[in-house]
Structures are given as C-alpha cells and as structure tokens.
Amino acid sequence: MSEPVQRRSVLQALALFASLPLLGPKGASAAESMRIGVIGAGSLGGTVGRLWVKAGHQVLFASRHPEELSAMARELGPRASAGTSAQAADFGDVILFAVPYRALTELGGQLQGALRGKVVLDSCNPSAAEYEAFVRETSVTSVGELSSRLLPNTRLVRAFSAVDATAVAASFSRASDKLGVPLAGDDAAAVQIGEQLVRDAGCEPVTVGNLKAATNFQRGSPAFRANTTVSELRRLIEMQNVQ
C-alpha cells in the first residue's frame, strides 16, 4: 500500500474510532453508537451482537433465514434489526463474520463491493481438513492470511475466533477476571477498532501482531478456545512462540 493511501486509510479509521463510545455502566448514547453488521447470528455472532446492542451500538443481524431473527431483534429493542447478508454489509461501518468458514468464499465474492474498505472482524475457523486443503492451494501460512484472500479489499482483523460464546457472555456479566480475546491484523487503526469492540462486549483484547501472527491462536494452538484471562492467554501465546 502506498504511503498516501495508507495515511488516508489510517485517518479514516481514526475518525471512525473517535466516534466509538467510552462506555460507562449505562452504555453508549445513540449519538455515539457504531453501526455493525453481524453476518451469521448463531451462537457466537448472536451472543456478541446482543452484547454490542446492550453496550449501545446499532446492530443488524443477518442469516440465510432473516425472518427467524425478527423475534430476537424485537426483544433487543430499536437498536437491533434483522436482514440479509447483503443488507448487513451495506448497513455496517464494521462487519462481524461468524459463519461456517466454507461460506466465506461465496460471501466474499457476493459482498465485495459493499465490504470494500470496511473494518471486518473475522471469527470464522476452518476445520483442520479445510485448512490443509486451502494451504495446499494458496501456500498461505495462517488462517488470517487466508481470510484476507477470501474477503479482499477489507481491513481484516481476526477477532472472537478463539473464544466460545458462553465465555464471552460470562465475561460481560462480571466485573473482574475478564476474558482475554486475541486479535491480529495488518491495519493498525482497524485493530484499534476491534480492540474497542472487544471491550464493548465485556472482554479484554490481547493483540498479537499482524495477520500472519494469527497462527498464535488458531486451531491447534494452546490459545485456541482456552477461554481464559489476559495473563494466562499471554502465557499460552508465549508458549506457542517458544515451540
């Protein structure tokens, strides 16, 4: 990326980041809220999206059957809505993908225009067999790098990919010993936005580096679904690097 383009990207992201709420116990005001599209409203996507609504953000939940999400959206109130993946991609300033990994190939193509230049949080995990097949085809060295190919021209951050939905929900409800959530990304300003949204979901971010460094918390590593505190998560990541 050229220096002028990179500078413009960072400035745009910082402007977006400046609008994020400094949340108190009552959450963000409507004027401070982010617009977030959650594509895949199952266990992880549904849980994190609900917590963002509680924190004051506007969230559009999407699935293959958006009519099945209407009751949840009504229950959450006016900051929540339901729609298609295309509507979520258009709606969100930030997009969370929480779908089966094989769906990223199709969605990345279908939504490419709407996703261009947006911060995308990728929580999707390929199976071991899927990942091995992708590695043979692409020669990438981490799931993060692979996701950036499947979701081109986005400002990708690996986030919420190594934790369970139940652990996120439990962390949101307690005042201490927050869940450590590892993140990785090539765009520093996009990672900052991801870090803030991790905090808004009641957890603590642990940024490990660029997308290649996402190997530190992908499937098969000690940090994958360790569902632990920040200090223990950092220890597990350090252990991975020593091996």
Side-chain angles (χ1 to χ4, degrees):
M1 183 183 294
S2 67
E3 185 176 348
V5 172
Q6 186 177 43
R7 184 182 300 114
R8 183 166 63 251
S9 175
V10 170
L11 290 174
Q12 288 171 342
L14 288 175
L16 180 60
F17 181 68
S19 71
L20 285 169
L22 295 174
L23 296 179
K26 296 183 180 180
S29 71
E32 296 171 322
S33 68
M34 291 282 295
R35 291 165 62 94
I36 305 171
V38 174
I39 299 178
S43 179
L44 193 284
T47 297
V48 174
R50 286 185 183 93
L51 298 178
W52 283 335
V53 171
K54 290 181 180 180
H57 297 296
Q58 301 174 64
V59 178
L60 193 158
F61 296 90
S63 75
R64 290 176 295 176
H65 303 287
E67 67 280 0
E68 297 177 357
L69 304 176
S70 298
M72 178 184 70
R74 286 195 300 270
E75 179 185 344
L76 288 170
R79 289 193 296 268
S81 57
T84 65
S85 296
Q87 289 170 327
D90 285 331
F91 173 86
D93 297 316
V94 176
I95 310 298
L96 170 68
F97 274 94
V99 298
Y101 203 85
R102 60 185 177 276
L104 290 185
T105 300
E106 181 179 356
L107 289 170
Q110 290 177 346
L111 306 177
Q112 187 169 353
L115 295 174
R116 183 179 295 273
K118 290 189 176 182
V119 175
V120 169
L121 306 184
D122 169 34
S123 71
C124 309
N125 292 298
S127 67
E130 285 176 323
Y131 181 58
E132 288 171 5
F134 280 126
V135 168
R136 288 195 299 270
E137 294 170 5
T138 63
S139 299
V140 297
T141 59
S142 77
V143 174
E145 292 172 301
L146 176 58
S147 293
S148 70
R149 293 192 181 200
L150 299 179
L151 300 168
N153 303 310
T154 64
R155 299 166 57 216
L156 189 83
V157 180
R158 286 285 286 172
F160 295 105
S161 61
V163 293
D164 291 321
T166 53
V168 175
S171 182
F172 187 85
S173 66
R174 62 179 181 256
S176 61
D177 295 325
K178 292 291 190 178
L179 177 70
V181 175
L183 297 92
D186 292 341
D187 184 313
V191 170
Q192 283 186 301
I193 292 170
E195 290 171 342
Q196 182 62 51
L197 288 174
V198 166
R199 295 187 186 99
D200 293 348
C203 305
E204 284 296 327
V206 176
T207 299
V208 303
N210 60 17
L211 288 175
K212 187 173 183 179
T215 53
N216 286 296
F217 56 88
Q218 68 187 38
R219 188 185 300 278
S221 71
F224 183 71
R225 292 184 176 169
N227 295 317
T228 189
T229 60
V230 169
S231 59
E232 176 62 10
L233 178 63
R234 287 179 174 147
R235 187 189 71 79
L236 293 172
I237 290 171
E238 290 173 2
M239 183 173 69
Q240 168 78 5
N241 287 326
V242 169
Q243 292 175 353

